[in-house]
Structure formats: C-alpha cells, structure tokens
Amino acid sequence: MEDEPGVVPYSQRPEWNDVTPAEAAPGDPGSVVAVQYSEHDRELLGYFNACAAKGEKSERVLQLTADVIAANQAHYSAWQYRWEVLQELATDLTAEYQFTG
C-alpha cells in the first residue's frame, strides 16, 4: 500500500484469498460528511467487515483486528469483535494486556 511502506496488502496475502472484502464504509448519498479513508484503511475495513459479517473468529481475524485498531484506536466495533474472538479462542489474556497497555 502506498501509504504504508513495507506492509503487504491483505489482498496480496495468500491466507486471505478466501475472503472477499466488504464495502469499507457503506455510503449514504444523503450524508452531510463522508469519511475519506486511505487506501490502506479501506482495505483493512473491507476485510474486517467481511469477517465480522460471516462471524469468523480465528487467529487471522485476531491479527486483523490488531491492524484495524492500530489504524484507528477509536474503532469500537473492532475492539468489541476482538473481545469476542479472544473469548471464542479461549486466548491467554496475558498478551492482550500487553496489546492494550
């Protein structure tokens, strides 16, 4: 991605070939303000929305939520979904304390 040097886009990662990204930000033609996402953020949100829509809870989605949160710490849906993934995977929360700290 042009605004994230050294980062391999999700669309070029073989482990994500089975996911079709959803629309990153459903647009409302009547919106007063439209969020202008970077290409990187649009891709992250597209994969996040696709995984959340189908209810996938896996290690790769856990990493995806980390990337979404790194891009926007105020993305409350990503935090909530991350918590659901952690619970589903019965993850040791020690690493999560480091992630949130």
Side-chain angles (χ1 to χ4, degrees), residues 1-38:
M1 293 173 202
E2 54 210 41
D3 56 354
E4 295 290 329
V7 174
V8 177
Y10 276 78
S11 59
Q12 294 177 14
R13 298 180 189 186
E15 66 271 23
W16 289 95
N17 284 343
D18 62 319
V19 177
T20 301
E23 187 176 350
D28 176 4
S31 293
V32 175
V33 177
V35 177
Q36 298 297 313
Y37 292 107
S38 69

Side-chain angles (χ1 to χ4, degrees), residues 44-99:
L44 283 175
L45 293 174
Y47 280 90
F48 173 76
N49 290 342
C51 290
K54 67 180 190 176
E56 180 180 342
K57 295 182 174 110
S58 63
E59 288 291 335
R60 73 178 184 172
V61 172
L62 192 61
Q63 180 57 53
L64 175 61
T65 61
D67 292 343
V68 171
I69 290 166
N72 178 4
Q73 291 183 350
H75 196 299
Y76 301 117
S77 296
W79 282 106
Q80 175 61 37
Y81 201 69
R82 182 177 180 83
W83 176 244
E84 293 173 17
V85 172
L86 288 165
Q87 290 179 312
E88 179 76 22
L89 298 178
T91 304
D92 177 11
L93 295 180
T94 304
E96 191 64 13
Y97 295 139
Q98 294 171 348
F99 176 77

